[in-house]
Amino acid sequence: MNTLHRTALLAAAGTALVLSLTACQGDGDANSAPTYGSSATAQSPSGKATDASGTTGPANSAGSGSSAGSGSSSGSTGSNAGGGSTKASGSSGSSGSASSGEQASASTPVCAAGDVRITAATQDGPPYTHIVLTAKNTSRHSCRLTGFPHIQFLESHKQDVPAVAKSKPEAPVVLAAGDPAYALVKLSDGGREENNEPVTAFSVMLAGDPTVIAVTAPGSEGIAVDPAKALTGYWTPELRNGADDF
């Protein structure tokens, strides 16, 4: 009987010990478990939601960064697309403008004798060694004045006055309605021993038109011309220093 009683007491004591250890372990787990509900509603001093450690929540940070990144990417794409479109349009416009300008110049008709009025005036003071021819577009349309004036001063000299190559302009001379062009013409060297002859009128022809235009010489007594010294410049929009000095 004593043995049975002792065994029962040991069993009861063991059971009590197990229950006590289980209870202690349960209390320790309960104290160490994180409180997820409180961390979801916690607010940082800045007003942003934070996790249990006090740092800004990763979900909110990722959301904010994603949104900003999306906006930046969209804005950048739009800017580049707009810039690319503008540049392409500008290049096309520039090319088109140059092309249309060349086509317009090539398609502009050559000035005929009926399109211009040619007058002559002396240049500088006596002795008058040069005159200036002015060809004014009197038509209602643009025209191209090409080459140089084909001048014959005297009936006894049927050849045209030679042209000075350095006075040739780089671009074609296109005259709008009412615009003038000029040509400098040398008459002589101004010496008394020259074979000068008086000229009160002379003839001019335009390149590409065989029509003879009669031009009155400037001055009441006309001009003195030495056929061996006479020279003419090309038609230009203005008289230029250097190229037209001869």
Side-chain angles (χ1 to χ4, degrees):
M1 291 296 293
N2 290 334
T3 301
L4 292 174
H5 181 71
R6 184 177 180 180
T7 301
L9 289 175
L10 290 174
T15 300
L17 179 61
V18 171
L19 292 174
S20 176
L21 292 173
T22 302
C24 291
Q25 183 177 3
D27 292 341
D29 292 342
N31 291 333
S32 63
T35 54
Y36 291 107
S38 64
S39 69
T41 58
Q43 298 290 322
S44 69
S46 63
K48 295 182 179 179
T50 59
D51 60 14
S53 64
T55 60
T56 304
N60 291 339
S61 298
S64 175
S66 174
S67 176
S70 174
S72 174
S73 175
S74 174
S76 174
T77 301
S79 176
N80 290 340
S85 175
T86 301
K87 184 177 181 181
S89 175
S91 298
S92 175
S94 176
S95 175
S97 176
S99 177
S100 63
E102 293 176 359
Q103 292 177 358
S105 176
S107 63
T108 303
V110 175
C111 295
D115 297 326
V116 297
R117 179 173 179 266
I118 297 178
T119 57
T122 55
Q123 186 192 46
D124 301 329
Y128 297 108
T129 60
H130 291 73
I131 60 173
V132 176
L133 297 184
T134 300
K136 183 177 181 180
N137 183 0
T138 56
S139 71
R140 296 184 179 180
H141 59 81
S142 297
C143 65
R144 284 184 295 127
L145 196 58
T146 61
F148 53 89
H150 294 262
I151 304 170
Q152 290 186 7
F153 281 116
L154 301 167
E155 289 293 331
S156 58
H157 295 82
K158 292 296 185 180
Q159 66 271 23
D160 292 346
V161 172
V164 178
K166 69 175 183 177
S167 67
K168 183 178 181 180
E170 296 181 359
V173 179
V174 178
L175 300 180
D179 283 355
Y182 307 94
L184 185 65
V185 181
K186 180 181 178 181
L187 307 176
S188 66
D189 287 337
R192 293 185 178 180
E193 302 300 326
E194 293 181 303
N195 296 319
N196 294 333
E197 298 186 37
V199 174
T200 56
F202 55 95
S203 65
V204 175
M205 291 188 295
L206 302 179
D209 189 339
T211 304
V212 176
I213 303 172
V215 179
T216 301
S220 57
E221 297 180 0
I223 53 178
V225 178
D226 182 348
K229 304 292 181 64
L231 295 170
T232 183
Y234 280 70
W235 293 114
T236 58
E238 69 284 324
L239 292 177
R240 305 157 300 170
N241 291 332
D244 293 326
D245 290 341
F246 53 85

